[in-house]
């Protein structure tokens, strides 16, 4: 799979280079819906008492999803798929020990998922695989009549963003991006503050994925087997959605506002080679790899309403974890890491804690299942809250919180930032994935 991964990246790079020449006109051309198809925005799930689940990819992230979705009584895990049979066996055994039936196993090669999604007893398929597989797996599941929850980023190219949108619309199946950070305790509390007008009219935000992944990138298992290769042929924001998703929610992106254009630049490449020199043996083949991804990529997004969002990506430098999670308006500002808030007129003009706001603005999801979420773990409990909410929507026949248009828009800064960097930080227009004009 490694060789296939590198070839895919180089094809993408050539595509980005050609797209970059278009400047602000990039991505304005929009594919056409199939005649008779329409938007899936606001489309409700079919009401069901039980959600029958299939999972593609049962490594570290997939196993965590099984733990969190499987903890919901109304979820039945029916099928598991992975190219490593031992991983599927471990997941099966864990479910059996928890008193649940053993799900069917699909382990016969890279395309075993194609057989799994043909099953007639699956309502929802989760995709937790290396990024290059997200779109083909999600598309295959939707074409077989299944709703899909896909890990982040949902797509790596603009073409694939459109493919997810078109397939969702044409099959009438939802494709939800599993953006757990939108369901964190602070994120949902601040979302309630914003909706209540506590921060006034929103003007700007800031977000990031700043996470020291050097040891992960050079690991000989798990994500180390594929994620470092993204740094070979790409230079931009490789992982935009963890930071951007919550800020997009605050600003009601794809609702009252929309991303308009982006400019981006990257720093030099320094930290990965320095780490490699210190931690790997001199004769390790990885010593010869040449990385293009700058240590820091920083992008500015301008929205149709005139708001500005700063978006950062850095997985190569020694640093504490930080998603920034800033949102500001005419009456105040919230900054995370650590969480602090200032509302106009507060004494001493100093940041305060969120504590005074928790009684009134704590989100109902955390009131309902917060204790269980914290017990299960999973990024502080946000994983279970995400799973709980998605299954709640499916059982109640409600639309998902995060739909395919969000998946496309939040993933698009990846290829757009690459194109902007390649063109000397030229502005790159966001596609109008909802085709609202």
């Amino acid at each position: 799979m490694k060789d296939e991964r590198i070839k895919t990246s180089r094809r993408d790079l050539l595509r980005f280079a050609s797209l970059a020449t278009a400047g602000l006109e990039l991505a304005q051309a929009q594919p056409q819906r199939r005649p008779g198809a329409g938007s899936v925005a606001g489309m409700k799930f079919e009401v069901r008492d039980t959600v029958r689940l299939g999972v593609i990819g049962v490594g570290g992230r997939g196993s965590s999803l099984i733990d969190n979705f499987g903890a919901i009584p109304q979820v039945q895990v029916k099928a598991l798929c992975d190219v490593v049979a031992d991983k599927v066996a471990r997941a099966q055994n864990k479910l059996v020990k928890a008193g649940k039936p053993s799900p069917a196993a699909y382990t016969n090669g890279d395309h075993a998922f194609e057989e799994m999604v043909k099953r007639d007893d699956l309502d929802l398929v989760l995709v937790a695989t290396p990024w290059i597989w997200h779109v083909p797996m999600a598309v295959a599941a939707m074409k077989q009549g299944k709703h899909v929850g896909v890990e982040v980023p949902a797509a790596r190219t603009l073409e694939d963003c459109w493919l997810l949108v078109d397939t969702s619309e044409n099959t009438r199946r939802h494709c939800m991006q599993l953006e757990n950070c939108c369901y964190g305790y602070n994120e949902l509390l601040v979302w309630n503050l914003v909706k209540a007008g506590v921060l006034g009219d929103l003007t700007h935000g800031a977000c990031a994925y700043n996470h020291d992944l050097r040891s992960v990138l050079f690991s000989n298992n798990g994500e180390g087997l594929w994620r470092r290769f993204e740094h070979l042929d790409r230079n931009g924001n490789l992982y935009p959605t963890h930071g951007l998703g919550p800020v997009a929610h605050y600003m009601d992106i794809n609702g009252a506002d929309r991303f308009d254009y982006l400019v981006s630049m990257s720093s030099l490449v320094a930290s990965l080679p320095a780490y490699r020199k210190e931690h790997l043996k001199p004769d390790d083949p990885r010593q010869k790899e040449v990385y293009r991804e700058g240590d820091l990529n920083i992008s500015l997004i301008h929205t149709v309403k005139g708001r500005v969002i700063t978006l950062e990506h850095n997985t190569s430098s020694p640093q504490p974890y930080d998603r920034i999670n800033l949102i500001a308006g005419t009456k105040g500002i919230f900054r995370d890491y650590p969480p602090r808030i200032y509302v106009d007129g507060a004494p001493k003009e100093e940041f305060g804690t969120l504590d005074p706001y928790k009684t009134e603005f704590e989100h109902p999801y955390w009131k309902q299942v917060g204790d269980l979420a914290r017990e299960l773990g999973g990024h502080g409990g946000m994983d279970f809250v995400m799973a709980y909410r998605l299954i709640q929507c499916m059982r109640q026949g409600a639309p998902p919180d995060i739909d395919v248009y969000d998946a496309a828009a939040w993933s698009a800064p990846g290829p757009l930032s690459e194109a902007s960097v390649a063109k000397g930080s030229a502005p790159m227009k966001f596609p109008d994935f909802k085709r609202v004009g």
Side-chain angles (χ1 to χ4, degrees):
M1 188 180 293
K2 178 177 177 179
D3 290 340
E4 179 181 349
R5 166 65 192 87
I6 295 174
K7 291 177 183 177
T8 300
S9 292
R10 289 171 179 162
R11 286 198 300 270
D12 290 345
L13 182 61
L14 292 173
R15 185 182 296 119
F16 297 141
S18 64
L19 288 173
T21 61
L24 267 173
E25 293 182 359
L26 175 69
Q28 287 182 328
Q30 299 171 5
Q32 297 298 311
R33 288 191 181 102
R34 185 190 66 187
S39 172
V40 294
M43 185 179 76
K44 297 179 179 179
F45 286 110
E46 310 86 356
V47 176
R48 50 174 58 81
D49 290 330
T50 301
V51 177
R52 300 167 299 175
L53 186 66
V55 182
I56 309 174
V58 293
R61 185 58 186 151
S63 295
S64 178
L65 291 174
I66 293 168
D67 290 344
N68 282 275
F69 279 87
I72 301 171
Q74 296 82 13
V75 171
Q76 297 177 354
V77 182
K78 291 286 190 177
L80 303 176
C81 178
D82 200 289
V83 294
V84 181
D86 287 347
K87 292 182 179 180
V88 172
R90 284 196 295 270
Q92 289 173 313
N93 291 335
K94 191 173 184 180
L95 287 165
V96 170
K97 287 180 179 179
K100 300 187 177 183
S102 179
Y106 292 82
T107 61
N108 187 23
D110 287 346
H111 292 271
F113 69 92
E114 295 173 352
E115 291 303 313
M116 192 196 85
V117 299
K118 292 178 182 178
R119 295 175 62 102
D120 60 6
D121 61 349
L122 299 179
D123 305 306
L124 174 65
V125 171
L126 304 182
V127 177
T129 57
W131 302 340
I132 60 170
W133 287 99
H134 286 183
V135 171
M137 289 173 171
V139 167
M142 285 188 282
K143 286 185 174 180
Q144 292 296 329
K146 279 68 175 178
H147 297 293
V148 179
V150 61
E151 268 298 330
V152 300
R156 296 169 61 258
T157 69
L158 292 179
E159 291 90 340
D160 277 349
C161 287
W162 276 116
L163 181 56
L164 290 179
V165 169
D166 291 342
T167 305
S168 178
E169 291 180 342
N170 291 335
T171 62
R172 316 311 294 166
R173 298 292 89 184
H174 278 301
C175 179
M176 295 79 63
Q177 187 162 243
L178 297 174
E179 186 40 79
N180 54 342
C181 292
C182 290
Y183 294 90
Y185 183 90
N186 289 342
E187 285 81 357
L188 285 175
L189 189 153
V190 172
W191 189 32
N192 278 345
L193 285 172
V194 167
K195 290 190 296 182
V198 173
L199 300 182
D201 295 329
L202 300 183
T203 56
H204 63 280
C207 45
Y209 187 70
N210 293 329
H211 190 184
D212 182 359
L213 294 181
R214 292 173 297 166
S215 63
V216 173
L217 294 173
F218 285 105
S219 172
N220 289 315
N221 52 55
E223 293 185 11
L225 299 176
W226 59 269
R227 190 163 178 168
R228 190 179 69 261
F229 298 123
E230 298 284 342
H231 291 249
L232 294 175
D233 295 328
R234 303 177 66 189
N235 187 16
N237 192 316
L238 306 184
Y239 203 62
T241 74
H242 275 343
L244 187 57
V247 171
H249 263 179
Y250 303 150
M251 292 186 176
D252 194 20
I253 298 299
N254 285 337
D257 203 356
R258 180 165 52 86
F259 297 145
D260 189 9
Y261 63 89
L262 169 153
V263 296
S264 186
M265 64 181 65
S266 292
S267 75
L268 77 164
V269 181
S271 294
L272 280 189
Y275 181 92
R276 177 181 63 186
K277 182 177 180 181
E278 182 176 353
H279 291 86
L280 274 60
K281 294 180 180 179
D283 61 349
D284 191 304
R286 291 171 291 181
Q287 295 283 9
K288 297 180 180 180
E289 293 176 347
V290 177
Y291 308 115
R292 296 188 64 251
E293 172 71 10
D295 283 17
L296 171 69
N297 175 267
I298 186 165
S299 303
L300 289 174
I301 298 175
H302 194 272
T303 77
V304 170
K305 281 195 168 184
R307 298 160 171 161
V308 173
I309 302 169
T310 305
L311 175 64
E312 297 180 12
H313 174 274
N314 186 340
T315 59
S316 303
S317 303
Q319 60 187 313
Y321 183 85
D322 184 6
R323 294 199 314 274
I324 300 177
N325 191 26
L326 179 153
I327 191 68
T330 56
K331 294 182 180 180
I333 184 171
F334 170 78
R335 290 178 182 264
D336 215 334
Y337 300 91
R340 56 231 141 103
I341 189 170
Y342 175 76
V343 176
D344 196 15
K348 299 183 181 179
E349 296 185 353
E350 295 178 353
F351 276 107
T353 71
L354 283 174
D355 291 345
Y357 299 94
K358 290 181 178 178
T359 300
E360 182 177 358
F361 294 102
E362 181 181 42
H363 199 280
Y365 303 159
W366 280 91
K367 292 179 181 178
Q368 294 163 8
V369 297
D371 290 342
L372 178 56
R374 295 182 182 96
E375 179 183 340
L376 287 169
H379 299 95
M382 64 173 65
D383 289 3
F384 180 74
V385 176
M386 175 189 70
Y388 165 82
R389 175 55 181 164
L390 176 51
I391 298 304
Q392 182 185 62
C393 289
M394 295 187 73
R395 295 184 67 240
Q396 294 178 351
D401 296 335
I402 301 172
D403 62 21
V404 71
Y405 307 110
D406 299 317
W410 302 356
S411 298
L416 290 177
S417 64
E418 293 179 72
S420 179
V421 169
K423 193 65 175 177
S425 301
M428 295 292 149
K429 191 78 171 175
F430 272 84
D432 178 9
F433 292 110
K434 295 183 76 172
R435 300 176 173 98
V436 295

